[in-house]
Amino acid sequence: MDLESCERVLIVKPSSLGDVIHTVPALGALRAQLPEATIDWLINPEWAPLIAGSEALDDTIIFPRKDFRGITGLNRARRWAQETFAERHYDLALDFQGLFRSGWLTRASRAPQRVGFRQSREGARLAYTMKVDLPDWKSRHAVSRNLALVESLGVPLGADAAAHYPLAGGEPMPDLPDVPFVALHPFSRGIGKSLGKADVIELVEALAPHPVVLLGNRSPYELLDGPANLVSLIGRTSLTQLISVLSDASYIISVDSGPMHLAAAVTDRVLSIHTWSNPAMVGPHRSGAFVFREGEILSFDELDANDFPEERQRRPEWASAERILDGPDIDLIASHIHSQISP
């Protein structure tokens, strides 16, 4: 493939939060190789603020997935694709999602060169003119996979490629503490990953005197009796405001979730809490970041995917328990944070 002759490139990665974040370094590498090309990104509307206005991107194509539900949804989707791609004339389309829908959209882009992973599912690879095979797929972090896709096209990867996240600019968030503060995101949609109310209260108390800013779209419990150093921004931040809060925090603690990956995109001052998930595969892909798992705090640089075989990734019996961390765990995490932000 003659990449240098590609004047118009489409990235297909509609969702979700963490998956979009994992693809942004590939965008940065692609832009560095093709400084004059037009590079667009097809994305679901809820995640578009993450990249809209990025210096590495020319345009975002909003994929209104919810508009295509129902019996006649496929016909509406076809009309949308025809109208959207008719005049764009892409030379190259890259499918980083690797599912039926993204494969269909990649083909619908009308790009003569369409690239995706051989390991794609749901028949998506039938839409590709070039299939990239990663034999070590199961032991690679998603950031590494996505960078490998563009590298296969002849894009050189610099030493800092995995740490370059050309996101949209953050929107200032009012009412943040004017002293060093810790950002805490304790919620996840994954079973057995969220911290319980007792975990959060005990951890916030252990982090005093530092203010702790609590983040999340919604809380499964109320914190009306929260500690005095707790500042709740639950349900009050947009995606671009969340970028600013994470950038301004002196340190960030997050469970395995999309916001954790966003935190790792903006800083290495991150501690990711893992229960059953493999931190080498789904942790913060950032040199200098830390992870907590099974009573230990490890640097991301020390992790090896093979250290966490499948039998250590099964959801534990206490997956729905009220407490995930015990006293020594909280003491260890708090001690680590104090050592990172105290003068």
Side-chain angles (χ1 to χ4, degrees):
M1 178 183 298
D2 183 10
L3 183 63
E4 301 302 325
S5 67
C6 294
E7 298 180 356
R8 300 186 66 85
V9 180
L10 176 66
I11 290 174
V12 179
K13 188 68 167 181
S15 61
S16 57
L17 174 55
D19 292 340
V20 169
I21 294 297
H22 293 156
T23 310
V24 173
L27 165 65
L30 194 62
R31 171 55 72 196
Q33 183 69 11
L34 301 174
E36 304 300 324
T38 294
I39 303 178
D40 299 339
W41 189 316
L42 188 149
I43 191 169
N44 287 359
E46 61 268 33
W47 311 122
L50 289 168
I51 56 174
S54 166
E55 61 183 14
L57 200 61
D58 289 283
D59 196 9
T60 51
I61 299 176
I62 304 302
F63 177 61
R65 176 181 175 182
K66 294 180 180 179
D67 293 349
F68 307 136
R69 293 174 175 171
I71 298 176
T72 61
L74 181 57
N75 287 333
R76 293 197 302 273
R78 285 172 176 166
R79 288 195 298 271
W80 175 87
Q82 290 171 354
E83 295 170 359
T84 299
F85 298 123
E87 303 299 327
R88 290 187 178 264
H89 305 296
Y90 290 113
D91 302 300
L92 170 66
L94 301 170
D95 180 10
F96 289 93
Q97 195 88 20
L99 297 175
F100 170 80
R101 183 181 295 107
S102 61
W104 181 83
L105 289 165
T106 300
R107 186 178 182 85
S109 72
R110 305 184 183 184
Q113 300 181 91
R114 302 181 301 274
V115 181
F117 296 108
R118 186 174 296 277
Q119 287 80 6
S120 294
R121 296 178 290 155
E122 301 176 356
R125 60 178 178 268
L126 298 176
Y128 309 150
T129 60
M130 175 179 170
K131 305 173 186 66
V132 177
D133 186 27
L134 295 182
D136 58 348
W137 173 271
K138 291 186 177 181
S139 62
R140 276 188 184 242
H141 195 284
V143 171
S144 177
R145 293 176 190 169
N146 293 333
L147 285 170
L149 187 69
V150 296
E151 186 179 31
S152 71
L153 304 178
V155 175
L157 301 180
D160 63 343
H164 179 47
Y165 289 82
L167 294 164
E171 178 186 354
M173 183 70 195
D175 303 326
L176 288 176
D178 56 5
V179 295
F181 68 89
V182 178
L184 173 61
H185 181 266
F187 313 121
S188 174
R189 291 180 299 175
I191 297 174
K193 293 182 180 181
S194 297
L195 302 185
K197 178 179 178 179
D199 294 321
V200 171
I201 290 176
E202 189 173 333
L203 181 56
V204 172
E205 289 176 339
L207 291 170
H210 301 296
V212 179
V213 174
L214 191 64
L215 301 169
N217 286 332
R218 58 186 180 275
S219 170
Y221 47 76
E222 295 295 330
L223 284 171
L224 299 179
D225 55 347
N229 62 322
L230 178 65
V231 179
S232 178
L233 293 184
I234 296 293
R236 293 174 53 194
T237 59
S238 66
L239 275 178
T240 49
Q241 287 174 326
L242 182 58
I243 291 174
S244 288
V245 175
L246 296 173
S247 298
D248 291 342
S250 294
Y251 217 85
I252 302 158
I253 307 172
S254 177
V255 296
D256 178 12
S257 61
M260 178 273 289
H261 295 296
L262 181 57
V266 301
T267 181
D268 62 355
R269 303 186 304 274
V270 180
L271 174 67
S272 178
I273 295 177
H274 296 258
T275 52
W276 52 268
S277 60
N278 186 337
M281 293 289 293
V282 298
H285 197 278
R286 167 76 77 165
S287 180
F290 289 88
V291 301
F292 171 89
R293 193 176 190 273
E294 297 180 343
E296 290 185 282
I297 292 178
L298 300 170
S299 167
F300 178 78
D301 302 316
E302 299 175 311
L303 296 177
D304 186 327
N306 296 320
D307 291 339
F308 301 91
E310 291 187 7
E311 60 268 21
R312 293 180 65 191
Q313 298 176 50
R314 294 175 183 155
R315 292 168 182 159
E317 295 178 359
W318 45 262
S320 59
E322 183 178 348
R323 297 298 301 265
I324 285 179
L325 303 176
D326 58 24
D329 292 337
I330 289 175
D331 290 342
L332 177 63
I333 292 170
S335 176
H336 171 81
I337 302 303
H338 284 301
S339 71
Q340 296 294 313
I341 64 177
S342 295

